[in-house]
Each structure stands twice: as structure tokens, then as C-alpha cells.
Amino acid sequence: MDTAELDAYLRRLGAEQQAWPTVDVLRELHLRHLRAVPFENLSIHLGEEIVLEEKRLLDKVVGRRRGGFCYELNGSFGALLSKLGFDVTLLAARVYGEEGQVGIPYDHLALRVRTVDGGDWLADVGFGANSHYPLEFGNRTEQEDPGGMFRVAEVDRESGGREFGDLDVFRNGKPQYRLETRPRALGDFAAGAWWHSTSPASHFTRSLVCSLLTEDGGRITLSGRTFTVTSADGAREVTELGSDAEVLATYRDRFGLELDRVPEVGKGREERVGALVEGGSEGL
């Protein structure tokens, strides 16, 4: 990340560069990122290639002012924090499903961030509805946050994780994901990103989502043509959008995303397959 990219990234967050990489700076950047950069899977349905390389992530999040899913959001946020002097480690996690089973390896990317004032934190701006602020990595008691009550717990040996130092992250008593503590590189997550963007079993290929934390602690979400405003106290207001123009205007005005066409579930994969066939490729 060069100086121009750093400045542009901070401008997008509405933040100024601080002298020291402290916990207070980390907390501010974490919250600003959640409010400025949407969690979205639109690339999958627009036929856009997802490449886990720092330059490509910055081109998307900073240059094109888009959002992304976990690999893209935490990947770019980790690059920003590293440039600002934080000690950042990429960690792999497996997300819990509705039946209590963990997902595929490299299912999720999260960040372990150490600050100059001795802090050790779990930062995650790529999990949708999650903590608004980083969680204390070594704290095993409940941690109160505007996003809920969180706990980082050691996985016992019977559950297959204690000998590897795995941790379970809970929100309001429900497990969210199982976190490995071994450091990873960005390229390690390529298989997980490919699976989530191509597999019919992935919920990302079967649905559209674009979601953003609001200033009052609520959330706005556009799923296909359904626009939902959720207040901080959980009250919901749902609007069904009609025309393509109305959908594109909502992406632009509410999420800051400039799209030239409306994404459609499955359309992007069809376009990628067509391009590969025309190019003579045998695989996806």
C-alpha cells in the first residue's frame, strides 16, 4: 500500500492518520470501517473475478469504493492496519451453521491485531452483524459491545480443538465461528473464496446481500430487491423495490456503491462459465 492508497483509504473511512497505533485508534477505525464499507457479495453475481492479492483488494475497496465479503474486507483492513504500524496476523476460521456444525476450512478470515500500548485484539469487519469494536483476544469472560454480548472461549479437547489452541467466538451465547490461532497468509484463503463464490452449496452463490452498519447502531440491508432498515433496538422496516433504477439508486444513495447494472443471482456464474468456454478453458 503506497501513501496515496493509504490517504484514499482513510478518506473513505472519514478518518485521519494518527501518530501511534494504539487501541483507541484501532477501535475508531474498526467502527468507521463497518459504517463506511458494506459487507456484500455482489461480485459473485456480476461476473467479477475475486482475487486475494493486496493490490486487487485495494483497487476494489479503495479505488472503486466497493465492499466485499470477509476475505476482501478483512484482507484490505489488515493491509491498512499494517501500513499504520499495527502488528497484524491473519487467522482462519470455520463458521458455525444453523445445525451447530462448523463449515469448510478457510471458511472465514479474521485478524489478530497487537497495538503499541500492549493490546491484543480480535478485529473482524467482514462478518456482517458482529461486534462493533475489536474483542480482547485473551479475555475469556463476556465482553459487552453495542453489537451484543461476546465471548472468546478455548475449545475443549473433546471438541477437537484444544490441542491446536482453537477458539470459539460466541455472540449472545451462540457460537459464530471456530478460530485457529496459527498465522496464515492471504493466499491461503484462495480455496475458501473460490468455494464460496462458485459452489451451489454456498449461501453466497444462492443469494444477494449488501449490508452496512448505521450511525445509530442499526443496520441497512439490501437483499435482491428487499430493502430492510433495522434499528438499534431491533425494529425492522421492510420495503420491496420495484424497478432496476430504484435498486441501483438504493445501492448508490444508501451504500455508496455505483453499479452499472443490477446483480442477479446466478447471472455472474453463467457469465464466468461463458467466458471460460469462449477462451477454451476446461475448468472454472
Side-chain angles (χ1 to χ4, degrees), residues 136-150:
E136 290 185 69
F137 197 88
N139 186 346
R140 301 293 174 254
T141 63
E142 290 191 332
Q143 302 183 48
E144 189 173 1
D145 180 270
M149 189 68 72
F150 291 82

Side-chain angles (χ1 to χ4, degrees), residues 27 49 67 78 93 100 160 169 195 211 227 239 241 247 258 271 276 280:
R27 283 170 57 84
E49 188 180 16
V169 179
W195 188 89
S211 188
F227 180 61
T239 304
L241 306 179
V247 173
E258 290 282 356
E271 292 175 350
L276 289 170

Side-chain angles (χ1 to χ4, degrees), residues 90-135:
L90 307 188
L91 300 179
R94 301 173 71 179
V95 178
Y96 277 93
E98 289 300 320
E99 298 180 356
Q101 299 296 316
V102 292
I104 64 169
Y106 301 102
D107 204 9
H108 181 60
L109 187 162
L111 305 172
R112 184 175 186 174
V113 184
R114 294 178 174 89
T115 62
V116 72
D117 46 358
D120 190 5
W121 302 90
L122 174 62
D124 192 344
V125 296
F127 198 66
N130 196 42
S131 65
H132 296 190
Y133 297 101
L135 303 174

Side-chain angles (χ1 to χ4, degrees), residues 30 33 35 40 56 77 89 124 162-163 171 181 191 195 227 231-232 268 271 277 279:
H30 196 278
H33 206 286
R35 289 174 173 174
E40 50 107 331
R56 296 289 292 271
F77 188 50
T89 302
D124 192 344
R162 182 66 178 273
E163 60 186 308
R171 176 176 181 253
T181 56
W195 188 89
F227 180 61
S231 65
E271 292 175 350
V277 170

Side-chain angles (χ1 to χ4, degrees), residues 49-66:
E49 188 180 16
I50 297 172
V51 181
L52 299 188
E53 297 174 357
E54 182 176 307
K55 185 180 186 308
R56 296 289 292 271
L57 296 184
L58 293 175
D59 285 346
K60 181 177 182 180
V61 173
V62 180
R64 294 193 284 135
R65 299 180 70 84
R66 283 281 301 279

Side-chain angles (χ1 to χ4, degrees), residues 114-264:
R114 294 178 174 89
T115 62
V116 72
D117 46 358
D120 190 5
W121 302 90
L122 174 62
D124 192 344
V125 296
F127 198 66
N130 196 42
S131 65
H132 296 190
Y133 297 101
L135 303 174
E136 290 185 69
F137 197 88
N139 186 346
R140 301 293 174 254
T141 63
E142 290 191 332
Q143 302 183 48
E144 189 173 1
D145 180 270
M149 189 68 72
F150 291 82
R151 184 165 60 92
V152 181
E154 295 179 353
V155 178
D156 58 39
R157 188 178 297 274
E158 287 71 22
S159 299
R162 182 66 178 273
E163 60 186 308
F164 303 108
D166 290 355
L167 303 170
D168 275 343
V169 179
F170 292 82
R171 176 176 181 253
N172 297 330
K174 182 178 180 180
Q176 303 298 291
Y177 53 77
R178 177 161 293 180
L179 189 71
E180 298 178 8
T181 56
R182 173 183 173 184
R184 300 291 183 179
L186 186 59
D188 293 340
F189 296 88
W194 177 84
W195 188 89
H196 275 301
S197 60
T198 60
S199 172
S202 167
H203 62 275
F204 286 118
T205 63
R206 293 182 277 114
S207 62
L208 282 159
V209 64
C210 182
S211 188
L212 194 65
L213 185 70
T214 56
E215 292 286 335
D216 62 358
R219 180 167 290 277
I220 54 174
T221 302
L222 181 56
S223 181
R225 293 180 180 271
T226 303
F227 180 61
T228 304
V229 179
T230 305
S231 65
D233 62 6
R236 291 158 56 92
E237 179 182 332
V238 180
T239 304
E240 293 296 331
L241 306 179
S243 66
D244 285 0
E246 195 174 1
V247 173
L248 292 175
T250 301
Y251 279 125
R252 181 187 65 243
D253 299 338
R254 303 304 297 268
F255 299 94
L257 304 183
E258 290 282 356
L259 304 179
D260 56 12
R261 61 189 174 95
V262 173
E264 299 178 39

